[in-house]
Amino acid sequence: MSYDYFENIRKKMLKMLKDVMKETDEIDAWFESLLNDLEISLSPSQLFNERFNEASQGYLTPIISMHDFNNELLITIDLPGSDPNTIDIELLPDKITIDAQIKEEVAKNAFGQAYWAKKINKYKGVYPLPYLIDPKSAKVTKKNGMIIIKVKKHNQ
């Protein structure tokens, strides 16, 4: 084996290493921009003010997440301590509206005797959907304050 053979391997390995480093730099830049976006959109003081404003109006915004699965949208809604008999969900092609009463004993245990906390008695929220959906295709599962909705995307 000649020196040229090893030199070619060394050059290929250096190129591979440079490519990997370039990729990690791009990933680092992507994460940094993502964190900057989150910092701008979810500033702690703004988030606190929004939540405090909701609480002073007597409601909390439920935690909701949406996940895209090809031709379906999976929507999960967390309504801890809600009364299952009062959960009202309106599913429209472009948005979802949620309204549910919080059990009185749950609110008392969670918020104590604070004056403003006594007024909190429900969950309320309106959320735009990332895709148009077919509300008639919705399959809803309720369990322990968690609502899971599977719905087909509207054929466009």
Side-chain angles (χ1 to χ4, degrees):
M1 291 194 199
S2 69
Y3 173 76
D4 292 337
Y5 176 77
F6 289 109
E7 183 62 19
N8 284 338
I9 291 175
R10 185 185 75 78
K11 285 180 181 177
K12 286 179 183 178
M13 289 178 66
L14 280 174
K15 183 184 180 317
M16 286 174 34
L17 184 59
K18 286 179 183 177
D19 290 345
V20 167
M21 291 175 71
K22 179 182 173 190
E23 290 295 321
T24 57
D25 286 345
E26 289 175 8
I27 292 170
D28 286 345
W30 179 79
F31 272 119
E32 187 174 335
S33 72
L34 177 66
L35 290 173
N36 288 339
D37 289 346
L38 283 174
E39 204 171 282
I40 290 168
S41 64
L42 292 176
S43 74
S45 62
Q46 180 184 3
L47 191 58
F48 175 79
N49 288 337
E50 287 175 9
R51 294 298 174 255
F52 188 75
N53 188 36
E54 290 170 2
S56 67
Q57 293 179 27
Y59 69 90
L60 297 174
T61 302
I63 297 171
I64 184 170
S65 65
M66 299 180 207
H67 304 280
D68 181 7
F69 289 105
N70 297 323
N71 64 342
E72 288 186 325
L73 186 64
L74 180 70
I75 304 167
T76 57
I77 307 161
D78 192 12
L79 301 168
S82 63
D83 180 348
N85 299 322
T86 66
I87 297 173
D88 181 28
I89 298 173
E90 182 181 18
L91 197 55
L92 298 173
D94 62 341
K95 67 182 175 183
I96 184 169
T97 303
I98 303 158
D99 200 353
Q101 294 291 96
I102 298 174
K103 294 178 187 173
E104 187 175 337
E105 65 272 11
V106 172
K108 283 181 183 175
N109 288 338
F111 302 114
Q113 298 302 316
Y115 171 75
W116 57 270
K118 292 178 187 176
K119 296 179 182 178
I120 299 172
N121 61 4
K122 66 192 227 170
Y123 288 106
K124 184 170 97 172
V126 178
Y127 303 89
L129 297 174
Y131 307 99
L132 289 176
I133 53 103
D134 177 13
K136 292 178 184 173
S137 71
K139 294 177 184 163
V140 180
T141 306
K142 298 179 184 179
K143 188 173 182 180
N144 298 329
M146 181 68 71
I147 313 296
I148 301 168
I149 303 170
K150 257 186 169 175
V151 63
K152 292 188 187 289
K153 292 180 191 173
H154 191 274
N155 293 333
Q156 298 175 356

